Amino acid sequence: MEGHWAYSYIASAVAKGWITGFEDGTFGPYKPITRCQAVKIMNSALERRDEDFAKDRAQQKFHDVPSSHWAIKYINYATEQSWVSGIGGGLFQPDRNVSRTEICVMLNRITGRIPGGAYAVYNTGFTDVQPSFWGYADIMEATNSHNVSSIQNGVEVWSF
């Protein structure tokens, strides 16, 4: 894996215990990540340890996430924190691949960034993301640097 463009980032995340490889000793840098893997990684990166999770987090909250699911406590915690939500109908789809847009939404929610702040002027450079796309504001919020001077009525006010 040395020589891979993301080797130092992967090695750092593994060393911190945020992510692990597969049982066969591979990492799979080009494999997709599922929704349950994403919430596990985010919980780990925020240094939530297994002992931080109360026993009630193992109760079934989604029809498709049984109490025996390996990631139920991470899914339930992330849901309680409003980092993620189900897809409707009492479903979470833990094994569905997470999209880059969904990752932007999760990261914004975890870090308290508010998409579409006052005076927001997004310089995208993305030819495939139009303002009419459902995740446009979250993608722009996650990929554009800016300074927030205050939050007024739940809206970021940017400083220039």
Side-chain angles (χ1 to χ4, degrees), residues 141-157:
E141 181 69 25
T143 59
N144 283 270
S145 286
H146 58 276
N147 295 316
V148 177
S149 61
S150 65
I151 296 178
Q152 298 173 5
N153 298 318
V155 177
E156 288 181 352
V157 177

Side-chain angles (χ1 to χ4, degrees), residues 16-149:
K16 292 176 181 176
W18 296 352
I19 56 176
T20 60
F22 294 98
E23 290 179 7
D24 66 359
T26 63
F27 181 76
Y30 294 108
K31 288 186 177 185
I33 294 176
T34 64
R35 287 170 52 87
C36 63
Q37 290 170 326
V39 296
K40 166 64 166 99
I41 291 168
M42 290 180 188
N43 275 288
S44 297
L46 292 169
E47 298 184 354
R48 302 292 190 274
R49 304 286 181 227
D50 285 347
E51 56 271 11
D52 294 336
F53 295 98
K55 292 188 185 292
D56 64 344
R57 292 218 169 86
Q59 294 177 350
Q60 186 173 9
K61 294 183 180 185
F62 296 100
H63 301 307
D64 58 346
V65 185
S67 58
S68 60
H69 193 283
W70 71 267
I72 190 166
K73 59 189 171 189
Y74 308 113
I75 293 167
N76 287 347
Y77 184 78
T79 303
E80 291 165 12
Q81 300 302 309
S82 299
W83 300 344
V84 296
S85 58
I87 61 153
L91 301 174
F92 184 78
Q93 292 188 336
D95 298 318
R96 179 174 61 79
N97 292 341
V98 67
S99 71
R100 292 168 61 99
T101 303
E102 289 172 309
I103 292 291
C104 288
V105 170
M106 289 180 209
L107 289 173
N108 286 338
R109 289 178 178 174
I110 288 169
T111 59
R113 294 184 73 167
I114 304 168
Y119 313 115
V121 178
Y122 295 125
N123 300 313
T124 69
F126 302 122
T127 59
D128 60 342
V129 182
Q130 302 303 313
S132 59
F133 178 61
W134 73 266
Y136 174 81
D138 274 292
I139 292 169
M140 296 304 108
E141 181 69 25
T143 59
N144 283 270
S145 286
H146 58 276
N147 295 316
V148 177
S149 61

